[in-house]
Amino acid sequence: MRAHALSTVEGYSGYGAEQGEKLLRAKIASTYYSNVGIEEDDIFVSDGAKSDISRLQVLFGSGVTMAVQDPSYPAYVDSSVIMGQTRLYQEGFGYGKIEYMKCTPENGFFPDLSTVSRTDVIFFCSPNNPTGAAATRDQLTRLVQFAKDNGSIIVYDSAYAMYISDDKPRSIFEIPGAKEIYALVLDILKPCLLAKGLPLDMVAIEVSSFSKYAGFTGVRLGWTVIPKELHFSDGFPVAKDFNRIVCTCFNGASNIAQAGGLACLSPEGLQAMQEVVGFYKENTKIIVETFTSLGFNVYGGENAPYVWVHFPGQNSWDVFSEILAKTHVVTTPGSGFGPGGEGFVRVSAFGHRANVLEACRRFKELYK
Ligand SMILES: *Cc1c(COP(=O)(O)O)cnc(C)c1O
């Protein structure tokens, strides 16, 4: 309908608001952030979370330090590499100047923050890709406190929040203090950070996406939340700088994609997204049951469309290759998500039921 309207004199529209259409921004705020004080003008609509992760890197600049969960979604580290924030790559250890926060079965896939060095930015994804782990309220409260103590910024990736089935937080802004004004300035860093305009008083930004809720991977639609309460140490609003980046490097998401996003957030759309998420979670259950019955230690799956299967002592790529060669099923080697993913394979639930059942039949054949 929207695409057709563009061919008419009445329905044609040119450039839209770079931040996204007012109606969609308001709908995202009221649907996902109604009780946490996030408003329409805190939302920046984008062509996907991945693009926004890179735009945030442009906002931070090349002089900052980064921490990531290990393993984690590769876009955080790779965009840091592109920005020139990192040092040399070392096999088995990852990139220099990146703080890898180990997330293992032993620590419940939440890092031991007492061993984590201070960084300017902390990327945190929950529910996590690839481990499937969703952080508890208590864990996120500790993370926010850690960020406040250190004057760090959390970039929280909630691309899988709709997959949470229990009462775990769906947004970092559910944690008190996550969007609070915060003005810690570390004296040693101050001169160089002020020169770069680093947002020192920022605690959390959230990136999210329609990709995994509505099958929008190819449509391209996501959003970033930057609370207006967040200010640079000199009092300048962070959102204003991000706005400048969006206007300079982007110009806004496709209006056709935004019409689709608005439809997703209608009562029928929300219902359809719940059904899609529910369907993939059924797939996940089948995959978890399969590997559990075969005697593997299996993680994730409960609050995410990914199952994280442990192959202790084995090389991820060897496991991946054997599965591919013998079953013709594609999994993802865990080491691709960081050094901490070695010895694991990620199995995705995004597929047709018949294909998932057939893949599981072949896994049972292979590992019987
Ligand atoms: C898939 C995914 C995204 C979504 O990226 P888009 O660019 O919106 O498609 C973001 N973060 C994580 C962790 C993902 O797995």
Side-chain angles (χ1 to χ4, degrees):
M1 213 165 71
R2 182 64 192 263
H4 187 260
L6 288 172
S7 71
T8 66
V9 171
E10 306 76 40
Y12 180 77
S13 62
Y15 284 120
E18 292 90 340
Q19 307 76 12
E21 288 176 20
K22 203 175 158 64
L23 219 51
L24 179 58
R25 296 173 84 191
K27 201 77 189 159
I28 290 171
S30 65
T31 305
Y32 295 109
Y33 306 102
S34 64
N35 298 319
V36 295
I38 296 295
E39 295 170 332
E40 171 214 315
D41 55 348
D42 299 320
I43 311 283
F44 291 84
V45 177
S46 74
D47 56 346
K50 193 180 239 184
S51 321
D52 269 350
I53 289 161
S54 287
R55 283 181 208 117
L56 287 169
Q57 295 281 28
V58 172
L59 177 81
F60 300 139
S62 60
V64 294
T65 50
M66 295 279 170
V68 294
Q69 289 153 295
D70 182 24
S72 70
Y73 182 55
Y76 319 132
V77 169
D78 292 355
S79 55
S80 289
V81 172
I82 289 169
M83 281 300 292
Q85 290 159 359
T86 56
R87 299 238 170 84
L88 286 183
Y89 181 76
Q90 222 187 328
E91 197 60 47
F93 294 92
Y95 288 91
K97 238 185 112 189
I98 292 267
E99 179 71 15
Y100 290 91
M101 306 187 291
K102 285 271 174 282
C103 296
T104 63
E106 289 72 35
N107 62 22
F109 297 100
F110 186 81
D112 175 2
L113 295 173
S114 68
T115 66
V116 173
S117 299
R118 185 214 171 268
T119 57
D120 301 314
V121 182
I122 301 168
F123 281 101
F124 199 92
C125 176
S126 175
N128 186 267
N129 177 9
T131 67
T136 64
R137 197 165 300 272
D138 175 61
Q139 289 171 332
L140 291 179
T141 302
R142 277 186 274 146
L143 182 72
V144 166
Q145 192 55 49
F146 179 75
K148 294 177 93 173
D149 290 346
N150 288 318
S152 309
I153 302 148
I154 299 166
V155 178
Y156 191 79
D157 187 335
S158 64
Y160 298 98
M162 277 185 81
Y163 287 80
I164 294 177
S165 19
D166 49 29
D167 62 353
K168 295 201 174 77
R170 283 153 173 77
S171 162
I172 190 69
F173 300 117
E174 288 182 38
I175 308 302
K179 75 181 186 78
E180 201 169 86
I181 295 170
Y182 190 66
L184 179 86
V185 179
L186 291 182
D187 278 344
I188 26 162
L189 293 165
K190 207 159 144 187
C192 79
L193 292 180
L194 287 180
K196 290 193 191 315
L198 186 88
L200 289 165
D201 56 355
M202 188 192 292
V203 175
I205 289 173
E206 184 162 302
V207 295
S208 202
S209 170
F210 285 95
S211 284
K212 316 302 165 38
Y213 301 165
F216 266 35
T217 48
V219 177
R220 308 307 304 144
L221 196 70
W223 69 89
T224 287
V225 186
I226 304 191
K228 60 178 100 39
E229 289 89 343
L230 298 175
H231 291 81
F232 291 103
S233 54
D234 64 0
F236 194 78
V238 173
K240 278 203 171 177
D241 261 10
F242 191 68
N243 187 56
R244 186 67 186 263
I245 289 168
V246 162
C247 293
T248 306
C249 314
F250 177 40
N251 262 355
S254 149
N255 47 19
I256 296 170
Q258 291 191 71
L262 205 51
C264 288
L265 299 179
S266 68
E268 302 79 22
L270 286 168
Q271 167 90 23
M273 288 200 292
Q274 286 298 348
E275 281 164 20
V276 164
V277 166
F279 178 84
Y280 289 131
K281 287 178 68 160
E282 283 288 315
N283 280 353
T284 314
K285 217 184 245 171
I286 295 166
I287 297 166
V288 168
E289 279 166 11
T290 299
F291 281 97
T292 306
S293 75
L294 292 167
F296 289 95
N297 282 323
V298 177
Y299 305 95
E302 234 165 277
N303 294 308
Y306 299 120
V307 181
W308 191 235
V309 187
H310 203 182
F311 293 82
Q314 293 190 60
N315 177 286
S316 295
W317 276 101
D318 290 346
V319 177
F320 160 83
S321 300
E322 188 189 15
I323 293 174
L324 180 62
K326 295 191 176 157
T327 69
H328 299 169
V329 175
V330 176
T331 57
T332 312
S335 55
F337 299 95
E342 188 57 277
F344 289 87
V345 159
R346 189 194 73 175
V347 184
S348 166
F350 289 125
H352 297 289
R353 179 64 44 79
N355 290 347
V356 170
L357 289 170
E358 175 61 17
C360 286
R361 192 191 63 75
R362 295 183 196 179
F363 292 146
K364 284 184 175 161
E365 193 65 25
L366 175 65
Y367 292 115
K368 69 176 176 222

